[in-house]
Amino acid sequence: MSSPPQVNALPPETPVEHAAFHPIASFLNWFGEFGIFLWRVFRSAVAPPYEFAEFIRQLDEIGSKSLPLVAAAGGAIGVVLALETRSSLVRFGAKSLLPATVVFAVVTEMGPIITGLIVSGRVGAGIGAELAAMRVTEQIDAIEASAVDPYKLLAATRILACIVALPLLTLAASFSGVLMGWVADTLIEPITLGHFIAMGFKGAGFKDFLPPTFKTSVYGLIIGAIACFTGMRAKGGAEGVGSAATTSVVLSSLFVILADVILVKLILLIFP
Amino acid sequence: MPVSELSKPASAKVAEGNQPAIAIQNVAKSFGSQRVLDGVTFHVRRGETLAVLGRSGTGKSVLLRIIVGLQTPDSGSALVLGTDMAEADEAAIAAARTQMGFLFQHAALYDSLTVEENVAFPLLHHRSHMSPSERKDRVRDLLHEVGLDGHLKKMPSNISGGMQKRVGLARALALDPVILLLDEPTAGLDPISSGEIDELILKLQEEHQMASIVVTHDMVSARTIASRIALMDKGKVVIEGSFDELKQSGEKFVSQFLHRDF
């Protein structure tokens, strides 16, 4: 007896169709799973009990331990900016604008983006690898089997710590950048720190500095969420852990840069 | 009355009657085209220990993960203290989990926490009314019970595999569970350590009268600790009974399994 014909059966996928649609399907699938993950984290984060102790531990891990690296990077950017812009400004007879150029460049853009990228590298890799190792060694399953929500304990605390830590780290990077910019400048042509700061911040208001600093909370959300997501869905052994760490760093850096483009435009629209 | 008794949910009372604490009914589970569980049915009452044996890849560990709610079956039901772990909401599953202790195959200790913190972990989250000193005393008692006095401050990476399993067992017992699930408790251990773990499980079972399921490849261990043995093949329970009943069965697969060790 022959089988009945399948009325709505789709024709088999050709290799070309597979090659064309598989990456798109994977891409959409990734975003779908990421959205579900974020919703689960949000739902668990707002429901009591709250994991304050773990949040404080993560704030120390993410914030305090990133501080020296972020400050050093901010300082280096300040020195480079001071040295590079000096020659250009001298050429156009606008040497007096050097403090303002350094301060504005560091505080509005260089400090926030450098902080975002440094934290993407250090914290993104750290969280991604840590959670992936916990996943492949069944530690996350053990947490769940103990009737503790791993989305709350592991993901929500880390994401929240990133959101809080990033603006604070940005302040440190910006402070270090301005200070080292002054050092580089004063070594070539002596100027007091007070005078450098006064000239740098002349005519500037809170709207010039607060939005760029607080936009890094969005970077924190991106870094924390991507790192936790890639870590918690890791598969396999050591290879899975390595892959999760790499994916976490690459994706979080990429999304931080993309978010920066959008946020800069938004800030300019809201605070013209 | 002990603190743990006061905080037991109503579901725990089901296990204290004649109802099975665990009732697995026609459970099936596939991964892609591979069917790992194909209509598994059994039950375990309080005070009983069921050893589940079978070849590698026959879905024994998946069965434990379904019982604890880490995986959902494609069909069938896994009733744990009256809660269907496949259908229940998150709160009911969490309540059932607080009545279960799970020892993972590789212990799954939290490697960033000390032995003491690992055992204290369930207490910290589910016995929040305990003072730090009460919690410390409870952790010391649990570690004493599994024969690990004096190792409180060590990290999991600094203790042997056998000791890690003992810590895992202490953690599984922290909330005074009604159900104990053990995934390969003697795997990777030398015969002496395996014997010690078996003795420990027997002792704990006598003291706590839990409903226990032990997944193992070790027939010697199964014979020592289990009141019943379920032998699985191709996703099904081929035979279930006492060791002597299995020995008398004429099934070829059963005798192949038994004669490997005896």
Side-chain angles (χ1 to χ4, degrees):
Chain A
M1 193 177 150
S2 62
S3 58
Q6 288 178 291
V7 178
N8 293 321
L10 292 169
E13 201 177 42
T14 65
V16 174
E17 284 170 342
H18 180 80
F21 293 116
H22 186 69
I24 298 170
S26 300
F27 179 76
L28 293 175
N29 189 41
W30 188 91
F31 271 99
E33 285 181 17
F34 187 51
I36 293 167
F37 170 81
L38 285 179
W39 170 243
R40 285 193 71 166
V41 172
F42 175 75
R43 216 178 45 170
S44 64
V46 294
Y50 304 108
E51 301 285 353
F52 285 117
E54 181 64 12
F55 168 68
I56 298 296
R57 200 176 77 83
Q58 290 306 324
L59 203 55
D60 175 52
E61 194 65 39
I62 292 162
S64 313
K65 290 180 182 166
S66 300
L67 186 63
L69 196 60
V70 163
I77 289 294
V79 171
V80 170
L81 269 174
L83 296 177
E84 289 283 356
T85 50
R86 165 171 278 276
S87 58
S88 306
L89 292 174
V90 166
R91 199 178 301 162
F92 294 109
K95 203 172 64 179
S96 61
L97 290 176
L98 182 72
T101 309
V102 170
V103 167
F104 266 78
V106 166
V107 176
T108 59
E109 188 50 39
M110 298 311 288
I113 195 71
I114 282 296
T115 305
L117 293 176
I118 293 279
V119 176
S120 287
R122 199 192 90 81
V123 176
I127 293 176
E130 184 191 12
L131 296 189
M134 289 183 78
R135 168 60 76 199
V136 300
T137 55
E138 295 185 310
Q139 291 176 54
I140 294 181
D141 288 335
I143 290 173
E144 217 170 336
S146 302
V148 176
D149 186 350
Y151 290 89
K152 184 198 291 275
L153 180 69
L154 301 177
T157 51
R158 282 165 173 77
I159 294 171
L160 198 60
C162 283
I163 291 172
V164 174
L166 258 287
L168 300 175
L169 288 170
T170 304
L171 283 175
S174 299
F175 174 78
S176 175
V178 171
L179 189 69
M180 292 310 291
W182 165 72
V183 170
D185 194 34
T186 202
L187 285 175
I188 296 168
E189 193 176 322
I191 177 174
T192 64
L193 178 62
H195 191 51
F196 185 87
I197 298 279
M199 284 174 73
F201 286 89
K202 196 175 174 186
F206 276 113
K207 74 176 178 64
D208 296 311
F209 301 113
L210 287 184
T213 302
F214 283 103
K215 78 178 176 187
T216 55
S217 281
V218 179
Y219 301 169
L221 172 67
I222 290 168
I223 295 164
I226 288 177
C228 290
F229 177 62
T230 51
M232 287 179 81
R233 73 203 291 259
K235 286 182 184 131
E239 194 186 344
V241 175
S243 166
T246 309
T247 308
S248 172
V249 174
V250 171
L251 288 182
S252 56
S253 305
L254 184 69
F255 280 106
V256 160
I257 292 167
L258 290 176
D260 189 41
V261 175
I262 297 165
L263 289 169
V264 165
K265 184 69 191 162
L266 269 178
I267 289 169
L268 290 175
L269 279 174
I270 298 167
F271 304 101
Chain B
M1 186 180 282
V3 170
S4 52
E5 285 292 318
L6 284 170
S7 50
K8 273 182 186 173
S11 60
K13 288 172 188 163
V14 176
E16 284 155 14
N18 203 28
Q19 297 254 4
I22 304 167
I24 303 298
Q25 194 66 43
N26 216 18
V27 162
K29 177 79 182 172
S30 299
F31 294 100
S33 58
Q34 194 192 356
R35 200 164 177 83
V36 290
L37 295 175
D38 188 9
V40 174
T41 298
F42 63 76
H43 63 261
V44 186
R45 288 194 159 77
R46 201 162 176 182
E48 277 186 330
T49 300
L50 175 74
V52 180
L53 280 92
R55 298 174 66 177
S56 300
T58 48
K60 305 183 297 294
S61 296
V62 174
L63 197 57
L64 287 190
R65 294 175 68 85
I66 286 173
I67 293 169
V68 86
L70 293 174
Q71 273 170 342
T72 49
D74 298 335
S75 61
S77 64
L79 283 174
V80 176
L81 306 169
T83 302
D84 187 347
M85 301 301 280
E87 300 287 334
D89 60 27
E90 283 176 26
I93 289 174
R97 281 176 179 158
T98 60
Q99 296 299 307
M100 287 189 261
F102 195 144
L103 173 62
F104 284 80
Q105 189 173 345
H106 301 290
L109 300 181
Y110 311 126
D111 50 19
S112 59
L113 305 181
T114 62
V115 164
E116 181 183 20
E117 289 164 340
N118 262 281
V119 180
F121 183 86
L123 299 170
L124 208 58
H125 287 87
H126 299 293
R127 301 286 186 267
S128 48
H129 54 269
M130 271 183 159
S131 67
S133 65
E134 282 176 323
R135 197 161 48 236
K136 204 160 194 152
D137 289 345
R138 174 80 177 132
V139 170
R140 280 177 202 278
D141 289 347
L142 285 161
L143 287 171
H144 175 73
E145 206 169 359
V146 298
L148 276 180
D149 299 289
H151 296 279
L152 273 84
K153 300 294 174 199
K154 287 186 178 166
M155 298 304 285
S157 55
N158 295 335
I159 58 176
S160 69
M163 287 161 89
Q164 287 183 6
K165 295 249 165 132
R166 285 167 185 264
V167 177
L169 207 47
R171 186 178 67 184
L173 293 170
L175 299 179
D176 246 333
V178 177
I179 291 168
L180 186 62
L181 306 171
L182 308 166
D183 192 0
E184 308 252 15
T186 57
L189 300 182
D190 62 84
I192 296 169
S193 301
S194 296
E196 286 172 356
I197 292 283
D198 285 346
E199 277 174 30
L200 179 61
I201 293 168
L202 265 180
K203 185 190 92 172
L204 294 171
Q205 183 62 350
E206 277 167 21
E207 286 170 7
H208 299 269
Q209 288 295 302
M210 296 166 285
S212 307
I213 298 180
V214 184
V215 161
T216 182
H217 284 108
D218 185 348
M219 183 56 96
V220 180
S221 172
R223 186 187 184 182
T224 311
I225 60 180
S227 40
R228 282 185 298 134
I229 296 171
L231 207 53
M232 286 183 67
D233 187 36
K234 292 173 186 156
K236 292 177 191 291
V237 175
V238 180
I239 190 167
E240 187 188 333
S242 67
F243 177 78
D244 291 331
E245 284 168 343
L246 259 68
K247 214 172 160 185
Q248 283 159 16
S249 121
E251 293 260 2
K252 190 185 167 196
F253 177 72
V254 178
S255 48
Q256 276 178 333
F257 224 97
L258 296 186
H259 292 143
R260 170 73 181 83
D261 287 309
F262 297 96

